[in-house]
Amino acid sequence: MILVFDVGNTNIEIGSFSEEVGNEKIIATARRFTRREETPDELAFFVLRFLEVNKIEAANIKKIIFSSVVPQLNFCFYHFAGKYFAHSRIIEVTSFINLGISNKYKNPAEVGADRLVNAAYVFHTYKRNSII
């Protein structure tokens, strides 16, 4: 099972996905207001409650993937994951991660990770250039 987070300026979106290759599917999703001063423990209470409500065992989470346009929360995510999901692999999606697509912006860091993930998904799903 994979937990994914999209940390935006307004909201943090969370989703859980099955990890079965070729049969990936969304299990559950939720959204909450972004608080820049959030602590790792506050984030953990939200995530653990999300898992509980959706009857997902925390021990089954093998990967935590997050993208963030709120840099001050990145430490919060690493600390939260390390404390509550030490058994899981943590992946931060940045503008420099290899998603199998080319980021040809003059300054690649100007492209939000959320846009890169969307572009990579569409490219790998439809196998052609697309407008998102």
Side-chain angles (χ1 to χ4, degrees):
M1 182 98 36
I2 303 171
L3 269 183
V4 296
F5 297 88
D6 178 13
V7 182
N9 288 310
T10 305
N11 291 304
I12 295 174
E13 311 236 8
I14 181 175
S16 60
F17 291 81
S18 68
E19 198 174 9
E20 186 179 330
V21 176
N23 191 31
E24 299 87 356
K25 65 179 182 176
I26 299 170
I27 306 298
T29 63
R31 176 184 298 185
R32 69 176 291 188
F33 183 72
T34 300
R35 288 183 45 245
R36 285 166 173 68
E37 66 281 352
E38 183 157 51
T39 69
D41 292 325
E42 290 171 325
L43 178 61
F45 289 131
F46 167 69
V47 173
L48 295 173
R49 181 69 177 138
F50 167 81
L51 295 175
E52 179 184 353
V53 165
N54 291 290
K55 298 175 178 39
I56 299 168
E57 293 290 327
N60 292 337
I61 303 300
K62 303 299 179 210
K63 293 179 191 165
I64 294 177
I65 303 171
F66 77 96
S67 66
S68 173
V69 296
V70 186
Q72 58 265 50
L73 285 177
N74 293 1
F75 171 79
C76 180
F77 271 83
Y78 278 109
H79 190 74
F80 142 79
K83 182 175 179 179
Y84 293 93
F85 293 90
H87 62 280
S88 301
R89 183 173 173 213
I90 303 164
I91 302 167
E92 179 183 0
V93 178
T94 68
S95 55
F96 299 103
I97 195 167
N98 182 358
L99 296 172
I101 60 171
S102 297
N103 180 354
K104 296 184 179 182
Y105 269 61
K106 285 182 184 179
N107 183 356
E110 290 179 350
V111 182
D114 53 346
R115 291 179 183 219
L116 290 173
V117 170
N118 289 339
Y121 174 80
V122 168
F123 181 76
H124 292 296
T125 300
Y126 298 104
K127 309 290 188 222
R128 61 179 176 230
N129 293 332
S130 303
I131 296 174
I132 304 169

